Amino acid sequence: MVMTQAPTAPRATRRRHDREIVALAVPAFGALVAEPLFVIADSAIIGHLGTAQLAGLGIASALLTTAVSVFVFLAYATTAAVARRVGAGDLQAAIRQGVDGIWLALLLGAAVIAVVLPSAPALVDLFGASDTAAPYAVTYLRISALGIPAMLVVLASTGVLRGLQDTKTPLYVAIAGFVANAALNAGLVYGADLGIAGSAWGTVIAQWGMAAAYLTVVVRGARRHGASVRPDTKGIRASAQAGAPLLVRTLSLRAILMIATAVAARLGDADVAAHQIILSLWSLLAFALDAIAIAGQAIIGRYLGANDTQGAREASRRMVEWGIATGVVLGLLVIVSRPLFLPLFTSDSVVKDAALPALLVVALAQPICGIVYVLDGVLMGAGDGPYLARAMLVTLAAFTPVALLVPTLGGGLTAVWGAMTLMMAVRMLTLWLRARSGRWMVTGATR
């Protein structure tokens, strides 16, 4: 489906690519799954304090997640840049590139704190918090904001290690962070009787602990290979410039998700409730596909850095095959588990009736999603950020009018997810055209 007219790789080559993909993707999947467990642990602990506290946590967590996810380019751009230098055989420059990304993360984190602390009440009001939930949301948001630089350092450091072809260390750090977060939250919320503030402080401490663990690994690697860890203005600026197109891509994707939720909300309470359930499943399915994409970022960057376009082409083809196969399996699982999945979230028959046909659309879309995620990872690994930004803007332009017409034309929530599937199809087309052209295969230690 993907790569020009290259002949099919020999079986031995496919097996080699399979081993590389599995070695990187499986630990990456574990680390991705560990991330939302932070919020789940906080919710489970705070939920016993009261409904107002839990509502406050929900609002603050949504704001924090949005603030951090916008800067996910710190991981993606760093992975590609570091992997290129690894492929070129220059580990010193690879780690130096990663250090620049970490310094950028610290600067961005400080800027976000400067914005969030004074504006926390206004941000909470913007989300429509009730009078009882708002004080808890503001408390949690202001304390947790102190952990944002750590979260961004974790993103950048994860990118460094992925670029160095290491996804196991991020998995270990994520597991340790989750355990520490759960223990600290329980101890500070109930043992120290700090309430929701204790949960926020526990999360902040766990996040800085994770950042410290990553920094220890990176600094040791820098010393081993003679790389400086001091801030370098030119390098930090280069990291920011490389990440800017991916920031545009991420903001466009967030806009698509917000538009879909806003349209679902206009359909009624049952539809928006069903939409939130489906969106949570969509995110879970994305973890499995994103793990292959992460492997793609690391592998493609390494091949191009080593001037091996044939290896990059063969690896890309194989990863697309993995993406399609994984998408088919996930789609079948969604179809089979629909009757069992929905009762876990709701007993409302109206919500179930709205969700069931929409879930079928989600299931049918999974093979498309598999191609999209993989090609996204391939082009990120190639450092093709400007094209990804333009492609996502085109996708946003195609999706928006279709989604906004749903309340007028009818079709309910199923039509909303039909629009989401159309969005993924447009992404697949734009990414496939780029992959097929071969213009993304720019070789060398830098793009």
Side-chain angles (χ1 to χ4, degrees), residues 125-177:
D125 287 342
L126 188 64
F127 265 60
S130 67
D131 292 339
T132 53
Y136 295 113
V138 170
T139 296
Y140 191 93
L141 181 59
R142 278 181 165 159
I143 295 172
S144 293
L146 301 177
I148 288 177
M151 287 188 270
L152 299 187
V153 167
V154 167
L155 283 177
S157 301
T158 300
V160 176
L161 295 179
R162 288 173 181 170
L164 293 170
Q165 317 297 297
D166 175 11
T167 56
K168 290 183 179 179
T169 299
L171 172 61
Y172 300 148
V173 174
I175 292 172

Side-chain angles (χ1 to χ4, degrees), residues 69-320:
S69 65
V70 163
F71 299 110
V72 73
F73 69 84
L74 289 166
Y76 294 160
T78 304
T79 297
V82 171
R84 274 186 176 271
R85 286 162 174 78
V86 169
D90 192 349
L91 288 178
Q92 183 185 68
I95 294 175
R96 178 64 248 185
Q97 177 74 42
V99 169
D100 291 335
I102 291 172
W103 279 111
L104 176 62
L106 285 169
L107 291 173
L108 291 173
V112 174
I113 287 179
V115 172
V116 170
L117 288 182
S119 63
L123 290 171
V124 168
D125 287 342
L126 188 64
F127 265 60
S130 67
D131 292 339
T132 53
Y136 295 113
V138 170
T139 296
Y140 191 93
L141 181 59
R142 278 181 165 159
I143 295 172
S144 293
L146 301 177
I148 288 177
M151 287 188 270
L152 299 187
V153 167
V154 167
L155 283 177
S157 301
T158 300
V160 176
L161 295 179
R162 288 173 181 170
L164 293 170
Q165 317 297 297
D166 175 11
T167 56
K168 290 183 179 179
T169 299
L171 172 61
Y172 300 148
V173 174
I175 292 172
F178 167 71
V179 173
N181 178 66
L184 286 165
N185 271 270
L188 293 174
V189 171
Y190 298 116
D193 198 25
L194 294 179
I196 195 169
S199 176
W201 280 117
T203 301
V204 168
I205 294 169
Q207 286 162 347
W208 277 107
M210 292 172 66
Y214 275 117
L215 290 174
T216 299
V217 173
V218 173
V219 169
R220 284 178 178 172
R223 288 175 177 171
R224 186 162 55 250
H225 296 287
S228 172
V229 294
R230 294 180 179 179
D232 177 70
T233 304
K234 184 178 179 181
I236 294 171
R237 188 184 302 116
S239 294
Q241 290 172 345
L246 295 181
L247 176 61
V248 173
R249 168 198 168 276
T250 301
L251 290 174
S252 300
L253 182 56
R254 297 294 301 185
I256 287 170
L257 296 176
M258 290 176 65
I259 290 169
T261 300
V263 171
R266 291 178 61 186
L267 299 177
D269 289 347
D271 287 284
V272 75
H275 176 73
Q276 289 304 117
I277 294 171
I278 296 172
L279 197 59
S280 66
L281 175 63
W282 176 278
S283 300
L284 180 62
L285 297 172
F287 288 143
L289 299 172
D290 203 25
I292 305 173
I294 287 169
Q297 294 170 28
I299 292 170
I300 296 303
R302 191 189 75 232
Y303 274 120
L304 294 178
N307 299 313
D308 186 355
T309 56
Q310 181 64 23
R313 184 181 291 108
E314 291 173 353
S316 300
R317 180 188 296 276
R318 190 58 177 161
M319 281 184 282
V320 168

